[in-house]
Amino acid sequence: MYKYKNTGSSTRRQLIVWSITLFEFVASVIAIYAMTVTFGASLFEDLLRTLAFSCLMSALCVMPTLMLIDHKNPIMLLFRILVQQDCRTREEHHCMMTSVYGIVGAWCGSLVIPLDWDRWWQEWPISSSFG
């Protein structure tokens, strides 16, 4: 979680840490939503479904890294762990592997969407969420 200097009361400190964590979650949902739209999801047509998928991917791939590893700059932490794959501790390695497998699973799950089987589980984002 976000590292905060120990000044003031414990309740105030917890409130600040949780508000920063909530902000990081919302920012990651927005970023994943933008990436999902650039990969082909509809921008406004399935807004709630795409937003639900973005929340799921954020909760599975981004938030464990941000909550388990002390950081001051979340963007640099995610870039170092997820893009550069520079893991310095065992926890960072586990977070990286969880994120990578979540992204690969969603990607593989989306392979059945364009097939013309007309099944209920082919609709967006059901297959990607299960993947």
Side-chain angles (χ1 to χ4, degrees), residues 2 15 17-18 25 29-30 39 48-49 53 59 71 76 87-88 91 93 96 98-99 110 113 115 121 125 128 131:
Y2 179 77
L15 182 64
V17 168
W18 281 106
F25 178 74
V29 167
I30 292 170
F39 278 112
L48 291 178
R49 291 180 179 186
F53 177 74
H71 64 281
M76 291 305 296
C87 301
R88 298 177 183 155
E91 290 83 13
H93 179 72
M96 180 198 63
T98 301
S99 300
S110 67
I113 292 175
L115 301 175
W121 48 267
S128 294

Side-chain angles (χ1 to χ4, degrees), residues 48 50 64 71 77 90 127 129:
L48 291 178
T50 307
H71 64 281
L77 175 72
R90 184 177 217 143
S127 60
S129 298

Side-chain angles (χ1 to χ4, degrees), residues 17-93:
V17 168
W18 281 106
S19 62
I20 290 172
T21 304
L22 180 65
F23 175 75
E24 289 173 346
F25 178 74
V26 170
S28 66
V29 167
I30 292 170
I32 291 173
Y33 183 84
M35 284 188 280
T36 305
V37 168
T38 58
F39 278 112
S42 61
L43 183 61
F44 296 115
E45 212 169 276
D46 291 330
L47 177 73
L48 291 178
R49 291 180 179 186
T50 307
L51 191 61
F53 177 74
S54 300
C55 288
L56 176 71
M57 291 302 289
S58 177
L60 293 177
C61 297
V62 177
M63 291 313 292
T65 304
L66 294 178
M67 292 181 74
L68 293 175
I69 300 169
D70 287 336
H71 64 281
K72 292 186 180 184
N73 187 349
I75 296 171
M76 291 305 296
L77 175 72
L78 291 173
F79 183 78
R80 181 175 61 83
I81 291 176
L82 300 179
V83 177
Q84 293 177 340
Q85 296 182 348
D86 178 25
C87 301
R88 298 177 183 155
T89 64
R90 184 177 217 143
E91 290 83 13
E92 290 178 359
H93 179 72

